[in-house]
Amino acid sequence: MKGLFIISALGILAMLAEIFKFKKLLYPIVLVGILGAYAANFMEWGQNNMSIPMFNNMIHFNDMSLAFSGVILVTAFFWFILANDYFEEDHVTDHFALVLFALVGALMLTSFRNMTTLFLGVEILSIPMYVLAASRKRDLASNEAGFKYLIMGSFASGFLLFGIALIYGATGSFDLMAIRAFISHANGDLPAFFYAGVLMVLIAMCFKVSAAPFHFWAPDVYEGSPTVITALMSTIVKTAAFAAFMQLFVIVFGGISEIWSMVLAVIIALSLIVSNITAATQQSVKRMLAYSSISHAAFMLMAILAHTKSFASINAILYYSLAYSIGSISAFTVLYNVSKAKGSSNIEAFNGLGKRHPFMAACMVVAMLSLAGIPVTAGFFAKYFVFTVMIGTTFKWLIMLAILTSAVGVYYYFKVIIAMYFKQEDSHEEVKMETSHLLLLVLTSLFTIALGVVPNYLIEIFSN
Amino acid sequence: MLVGLLIIVPLIASLLVFFTKGNTSRTVALGLSVAEFILSLVVLFQYKHNPDNANLILNCAWVESLGIHFAVSVDALSILMVLLTTFLVPLIILSSFNTEYEKPNSFYGLILLMQMALVGVFTANDGFLFYVFWELALIPIYFICLLWGGENRGRITFKFFVYTLFGSLFMLVGLIYLYNHTGFETGIKSWAVTDLYQAGKSLTLNQQSFVFWSIFLAFGIKMPIFPLHTWQPDTYVNAPTQGTMLLSGIMLKMGTFGLIKWLLPFTPLALAEWGWLAIGLSVFGIFYASCIAIVQKDYKRLIAYSSIAHVGLIAAGILSANQQGIQGAVMQMLAHGVNVVGLFLIADILMRHTGTREMEKLGGIRNMNGNFAVLFLIVMLGSVALPLTNGFVGEFLLINGVYQYGAWVAAFAGLTVILGAVYMLRSYQAIMLGERRDSAIAFGSLASSDKWVLYIICFVIIAFGVYPKPLNDLAEEGTKAILTYIK
């Protein structure tokens, strides 16, 4: 919970920087601040019995919330290294403040214990993201992205509010544990509008994690936004949304899963099919990563579907979001540098990268292998954990579908590898990379492989 | 610990080779792979001396909380497969000495990396570890085919990769399913192969059928068995010769070895229920591939189809699940591995010396190079399984085993021995005998490295054809051990 305070303070500090003229210092301050927040987060770890709910039981950082906060903060740290250019253009302090407040929202989503804090978290996370998506003011695509994101996001928020209202109407409480207790006492004797409320919350959350058929905003928004903001959306925003999703559906609504599990299964199936098939036909790597993020969302949703193994599926989601975030940051770092040099994020821009910049290409291979789920990378264990929890359920057909579509997934991830090593380069713009990005790639690639070779350290941390 | 070295040595070797430059890399790679062969011979002698030697088992925790162990060990069956691997890899490296590859350090590094994964597959005693090695073997061969392959390599290699990955994911699901059923008494789940065997036996027929088909799919694609074979001919033809040798000589045996150790003992009920279908597909595949092989014009493609035919018989023998069938399969795996490497080398020599593999454009080479004609003849006869060559023992036992399963199946499978002789002898006749074609005139003499590889292969073909007892004893022992789990 100290982490939440530190990040909030950093956000306010960022706004003050414009007035008190220490803009130049802001970048190091933020990096140190995030590390501090992570350290604070880490110190609170393992005191499950001592941690107390705050603000009248609105927020409660237990170990599960801390674990998800840790994933978000680590990713945020990596992301800030990736995005150093972004904070050298104009509106530096605004950008900092917006990103930091989005982080505050993300941390709230890991720790909410009340429907109102859920809504607050979603909004605090989303509103800065709408602005950030449109932050390249003079670019038409960026404006379109921001506008689309705003419209679709507000629509989803509307669903969420409506759902919360219906649930409140049935149970008389916003408190998650009270709702959970209500469900278990009611023994199935619940009013129909309560179920409608649950389904509306489900739909709203599917909007937020961009699962099909609520994914239509994602590709355009991902493509139009500045690349670093796309990286932010597909990692931190996604992890936070899944933390909330899981909290709601594994812990609170787990008792009435017969209502939503079939709906969710269909959503997963659609996401798997639509995302993978569309991703395979994309020319733009950025857009391909957008569609692939939908497919990864479907995998994480499978772990939610297998909610009866609550502990194992929480573990699976946590591991998956970490593996996916790290792999994505890696991929986006390479994509950012390539598209900056070549002026395009199409697959052709990667041609011949293996010869020209072997190190960058090798890191991209690691990232692609991890996203495709090949051993011994983090992505493989992530998929493995999801399969392990799913096999015990009645939805075996979904596993089959996931395997079929994973094979398609390999097709588009490997397209990048083939382009890098096999195609001839057609233009001669030098791809350069800053030392900080180089270090970032080393870190993320090592992390990806370490997670794949010795996952036990993390599993043991998570299993507390 | 010794068995751990078997896996670590190729890994270190491949890292070393990655850091060499130019022609030194192939010399270093050859030297290190020979060292690995010697190491595997030491393991063999240790095993012969005392099968329960502590040196032959390595078991340390990898992911303790999930019951995943880095457990490898050597038994009669796996030592044979390891020997095949460590014997063939130096030959494969030696056979490349007359071809200049770009970036030789990566090429040989990948071959050695692949050797590490293959040895891992054959020695793994933990289901999860087996899967990881299985997938690891795929990555080096993918890059070998992609970077050094022929035309269209992008598309073809990709098809191969997706096919096999698809199969292995199903295998992963099957294995996880078994894993979830382990440890009912103790409450501790385990990936150890013997625990998985027990878990498999506790399942009902429907559950076993699910496991059987999901794992069979992976092995069936790898071997490949009809109708999962469509990736194979294109990949074999387009891969660089050494890649083809790795694929057909060793990697194919991952599938058949997998059938023996990682499928049959899991699902005895499903095998009884569905064996007819799996055997039917295998046997039909033999017939089908032989017929296609007969009409091939490209010699390398002909060998690719002949490989499908051979592996079909091996699979049928294994699936008939009796002593003769499995033992014959093991013998045939060894023989086929050696012979097919010889055949692909011959195809490569033809390509290098005459510029073509089209049999219509070849002819009369025997008059130009009698030495080569004899070597080719021996390899070809080994592959047709003439008595006194290494192919004979395996094929005899296989047909015997299949006969015990069903006389009609055996009749059908036996038909293919004749078809095999047809396409092999005809191709020999077309290439070596007859009127001398223009392409043959400049054939010249063989390079010494090619000659040595063929000498060694021919020696093995004849030596183990005349005296197969040492291999046969090990195969028998390994088969008996597996059969105790099946029965």
Side-chain angles (χ1 to χ4, degrees):
Chain A
M1 98 203 125
K2 290 198 197 81
L4 183 63
F5 296 150
I6 293 175
I7 302 288
S8 314
L10 277 178
I12 296 166
L13 197 69
M15 293 199 291
L16 294 177
E18 188 83 57
I19 309 171
F20 295 105
K21 298 200 166 46
F22 56 99
K23 276 202 279 192
K24 290 262 149 51
L25 283 175
L26 206 48
Y27 188 66
I29 290 177
V30 168
L31 281 187
V32 172
I34 287 181
L35 283 181
Y38 183 76
N41 201 46
F42 194 74
M43 303 290 274
E44 285 166 30
W45 176 267
Q47 306 168 348
N48 222 357
N49 307 327
M50 281 144 73
S51 67
I52 33 167
M54 300 187 300
F55 309 122
N56 291 323
N57 206 11
M58 288 283 209
I59 279 184
H60 184 183
F61 273 95
N62 60 7
D63 275 358
M64 192 186 81
S65 320
L66 289 172
F68 274 97
S69 308
V71 173
I72 287 173
L73 289 169
V74 167
T75 321
F77 181 71
F78 286 149
W79 182 83
F80 271 102
I81 300 178
L82 159 66
N84 57 356
D85 281 0
Y86 186 66
F87 298 110
E88 281 167 12
E89 300 160 14
D90 48 354
H91 298 291
V92 176
T93 53
D94 304 352
H95 288 173
F96 268 118
L98 286 168
V99 173
L100 288 167
F101 283 129
L103 270 182
V104 171
L107 292 184
M108 279 178 74
L109 284 182
T110 64
S111 57
F112 69 96
R113 286 294 174 277
N114 195 300
M115 285 295 188
T116 47
T117 20
L118 165 70
F119 185 71
L120 271 179
V122 166
E123 289 302 289
I124 296 178
L125 175 63
S126 303
I127 292 171
M129 292 313 295
Y130 302 149
V131 184
L132 287 167
S135 63
R136 222 190 280 127
K137 279 187 299 187
R138 288 182 190 82
D139 182 13
L140 194 64
S142 177
N143 278 304
E144 185 199 329
F147 191 61
K148 237 180 203 162
Y149 199 12
L150 171 70
I151 299 280
M152 297 307 255
S154 334
F155 200 50
S157 298
F159 265 97
L160 183 62
L161 266 187
F162 205 5
I164 291 175
L166 288 176
I167 291 168
Y168 179 76
T171 62
S173 174
F174 284 130
D175 189 79
L176 297 191
M177 291 308 129
I179 296 171
R180 182 188 152 102
F182 184 85
I183 292 171
S184 59
H185 284 304
N187 272 336
D189 183 24
L190 289 158
F193 65 87
F194 174 77
Y195 296 125
V198 172
L199 290 181
M200 281 187 157
V201 173
L202 179 73
I203 288 171
M205 292 316 289
C206 285
F207 257 112
K208 293 290 172 193
V209 301
S210 67
F214 312 108
H215 68 289
F216 287 102
W217 60 273
D220 290 341
V221 172
Y222 276 43
E223 200 187 16
S225 309
T227 306
V228 288
I229 298 302
T230 313
L232 187 66
M233 281 179 206
S234 67
T235 55
I236 291 172
V237 177
K238 211 141 229 184
T239 310
F242 269 103
F245 208 134
M246 187 203 70
Q247 176 86 274
L248 285 172
F249 283 86
V250 174
I251 294 171
V252 181
F253 301 134
I256 47 162
S257 61
E258 69 279 2
I259 296 301
W260 52 266
S261 58
M262 198 59 207
V263 179
L264 192 61
V266 172
I267 288 173
I268 293 169
L270 276 176
S271 304
L272 284 171
I273 295 170
V274 169
S275 65
N276 283 298
I277 290 176
T278 333
T281 60
Q282 297 303 317
Q283 282 304 304
S284 155
V285 175
K286 207 168 161 186
R287 229 178 146 79
M288 181 272 272
L289 285 174
Y291 280 108
S292 97
S293 92
I294 300 174
S295 133
H296 289 290
F299 264 91
M300 287 192 253
L301 286 178
M302 290 211 305
I304 290 178
L305 190 59
H307 68 101
T308 40
K309 305 188 165 181
S310 63
F311 163 65
S313 56
I314 292 170
N315 231 349
I317 295 170
L318 196 53
Y319 195 91
Y320 205 112
S321 50
L322 183 62
Y324 167 68
S325 299
I326 302 290
S328 293
I329 290 277
S330 213
F332 273 109
T333 311
V334 176
L335 173 67
Y336 176 68
N337 282 286
V338 168
S339 58
K340 199 168 78 173
K342 306 258 170 157
S344 135
S345 56
N346 276 5
I347 186 102
E348 289 82 24
F350 283 83
N351 287 358
L353 194 70
K355 275 211 180 90
R356 185 147 282 230
H357 209 308
F359 174 75
M360 220 201 272
C363 289
M364 191 67 174
V365 170
V366 173
M368 290 292 121
L369 291 182
S370 180
L371 291 179
I374 312 273
V376 281
T377 57
F380 165 66
F381 267 102
K383 282 212 165 75
Y384 166 76
F385 288 134
V386 171
F387 283 154
T388 322
V389 292
M390 268 303 279
I391 280 178
T393 66
T394 47
F395 294 100
K396 287 203 186 60
W397 56 275
L398 263 184
I399 303 178
M400 299 300 149
L401 190 66
I403 291 175
L404 283 171
T405 51
S406 290
V408 182
V410 171
Y411 168 70
Y412 53 81
Y413 293 123
F414 274 60
K415 227 160 65 169
V416 181
I417 300 180
I418 291 173
M420 290 192 300
Y421 286 99
F422 176 62
K423 299 264 169 68
Q424 285 301 315
E425 197 176 11
D426 30 18
S427 63
H428 291 283
E429 288 96 350
E430 188 78 40
V431 180
K432 284 199 205 109
M433 195 148 70
E434 297 167 49
T435 333
S436 62
H437 284 187
L438 216 63
L439 282 175
L440 176 63
L441 278 183
V442 171
L443 269 180
T444 47
S445 302
L446 282 181
F447 210 4
T448 305
I449 293 172
L451 276 177
V453 177
V454 278
N456 36 341
Y457 290 106
L458 259 163
I459 297 165
E460 277 152 27
I461 290 173
F462 289 168
S463 57
N464 279 329
Chain B
M1 201 50 236
L2 211 52
V3 60
L5 274 183
L6 271 179
I7 294 173
I8 294 165
V9 168
L11 181 65
I12 294 172
S14 84
L15 292 179
L16 279 178
V17 170
F18 272 120
F19 288 108
T20 57
K21 274 212 173 96
N23 279 346
T24 49
S25 41
R26 64 186 188 198
T27 330
V28 174
L30 181 64
L32 291 170
S33 60
V34 171
E36 168 81 357
F37 178 56
I38 293 169
L39 182 66
S40 66
L41 285 179
V42 173
V43 172
L44 173 69
F45 286 119
Q46 292 247 352
Y47 178 80
K48 287 294 250 185
H49 187 64
N50 175 14
D52 302 320
N53 194 326
N55 265 332
L56 304 176
I57 296 172
L58 177 68
N59 191 347
C60 43
W62 181 13
V63 189
E64 187 72 74
S65 54
L66 301 176
I68 300 173
H69 286 246
F70 193 94
V72 286
S73 74
V74 166
D75 56 19
L77 196 59
S78 54
I79 187 68
L80 283 175
M81 292 295 118
V82 169
L83 276 174
L84 178 73
T85 311
T86 55
F87 171 72
L88 286 181
V89 169
L91 289 184
I92 290 171
I93 292 174
L94 187 62
S95 74
S96 72
F97 272 37
N98 294 299
T99 318
E100 288 294 328
Y101 286 108
E102 269 180 59
K103 289 196 220 147
N105 56 335
S106 314
F107 184 73
Y108 295 104
L110 285 171
I111 290 182
L112 289 168
L113 196 64
M114 171 120 183
Q115 184 181 23
M116 186 272 292
L118 289 165
V119 172
V121 165
F122 294 137
T123 53
N125 246 339
D126 178 284
F128 191 85
L129 189 69
F130 172 74
Y131 177 79
V132 168
F133 277 127
W134 175 276
E135 287 287 274
L136 265 190
L138 188 58
I139 293 170
I141 193 71
Y142 170 75
F143 279 105
I144 289 174
C145 296
L146 182 68
L147 295 175
W148 293 276
E151 276 177 73
N152 284 332
R153 57 196 184 208
R155 192 176 54 77
I156 288 166
T157 317
F158 187 71
K159 183 173 170 188
F160 156 64
F161 192 88
V162 169
Y163 246 99
T164 39
L165 186 84
F166 175 71
S168 25
L169 281 173
F170 270 98
M171 174 170 84
L172 179 64
V173 168
L175 288 175
I176 294 177
Y177 193 88
L178 287 171
Y179 165 74
N180 276 349
H181 284 86
T182 57
F184 267 134
E185 290 128 37
T186 53
I188 302 162
K189 290 194 172 155
S190 153
W191 275 105
V193 64
T194 40
D195 290 332
L196 293 180
Y197 286 169
Q198 273 191 352
K201 290 221 178 87
S202 70
L203 299 179
T204 63
L205 174 61
N206 276 339
Q207 293 170 316
Q208 281 197 11
S209 306
F210 171 74
V211 173
F212 178 81
W213 285 112
S214 51
I215 299 182
F216 184 79
L217 196 62
F219 298 151
I221 288 174
K222 202 71 136 200
M223 289 194 265
I225 278 182
F226 178 88
L228 306 167
H229 66 283
T230 58
W231 63 270
Q232 191 253 31
D234 285 343
T235 309
Y236 277 24
V237 172
N238 266 277
T241 303
Q242 282 67 37
T244 319
M245 289 171 172
L246 285 170
L247 278 167
S248 59
I250 315 175
M251 208 164 169
L252 181 160
K253 275 73 192 179
M254 281 166 59
T256 46
F257 172 81
L259 272 187
I260 300 176
K261 184 171 173 182
W262 294 96
L263 183 57
L264 290 196
F266 292 148
T267 57
L269 289 179
L271 185 71
E273 177 80 10
W274 293 105
W276 63 272
L277 183 55
I279 291 184
L281 286 176
S282 314
V283 173
F284 180 75
I286 317 175
F287 183 68
Y288 168 87
S290 305
C291 290
I292 297 182
I294 290 175
V295 297
Q296 288 305 312
K297 298 195 171 76
D298 181 330
Y299 188 57
K300 202 174 177 186
R301 199 171 269 274
L302 183 145
I303 308 170
Y305 279 105
S306 88
S307 192
I308 302 181
H310 275 117
V311 85
L313 186 57
I314 295 177
I318 295 170
L319 290 164
S320 56
N322 51 45
Q323 175 74 32
Q324 279 74 17
I326 298 179
Q327 191 184 336
V330 175
M331 291 304 286
Q332 182 71 335
M333 276 148 77
L334 300 173
H336 177 259
V338 174
N339 298 347
V340 86
V341 166
L343 286 175
F344 277 120
L345 176 61
I346 285 164
D348 189 46
I349 291 173
L350 289 174
M351 187 70 195
R352 268 186 277 132
H353 286 248
T354 66
T356 181
R357 289 189 308 248
E358 298 274 313
M359 285 183 280
E360 282 174 355
K361 294 183 190 152
L362 292 163
I365 295 175
R366 191 181 72 101
N367 297 331
M368 305 307 301
N369 191 336
N371 197 352
F372 177 59
V374 174
L375 293 170
F376 187 175
L377 186 68
I378 295 173
V379 176
M380 194 269 296
L381 291 178
S383 158
V384 177
L386 205 72
L388 292 185
T389 63
N390 62 350
F392 175 69
V393 191
E395 194 142 300
F396 178 78
L397 284 168
L398 274 173
I399 292 185
N400 188 343
V402 176
Y403 183 83
Q404 290 178 28
Y405 182 81
W408 280 105
V409 188
F412 207 62
L415 191 69
T416 59
V417 179
I418 303 166
L419 290 174
V422 171
Y423 59 76
M424 278 298 171
L425 291 172
R426 263 174 42 147
S427 66
Y428 185 80
Q429 184 189 10
I431 295 169
M432 303 306 284
L433 311 177
E435 217 172 289
R436 186 200 301 160
R437 298 294 174 89
D438 297 345
S439 58
I441 290 171
F443 192 83
S445 56
L446 295 184
S448 61
S449 61
D450 289 340
K451 228 187 264 179
W452 272 108
V453 175
L454 285 178
Y455 282 153
I456 295 171
I457 287 177
C458 290
F459 171 75
V460 169
I461 289 175
I462 294 172
F464 288 108
V466 177
Y467 188 65
K469 189 170 179 305
L471 297 182
N472 208 9
D473 287 350
L474 278 173
E476 190 180 350
E477 194 186 328
T479 310
K480 279 194 176 133
I482 286 293
L483 280 176
T484 56
Y485 287 115
I486 299 177
K487 291 285 144 58

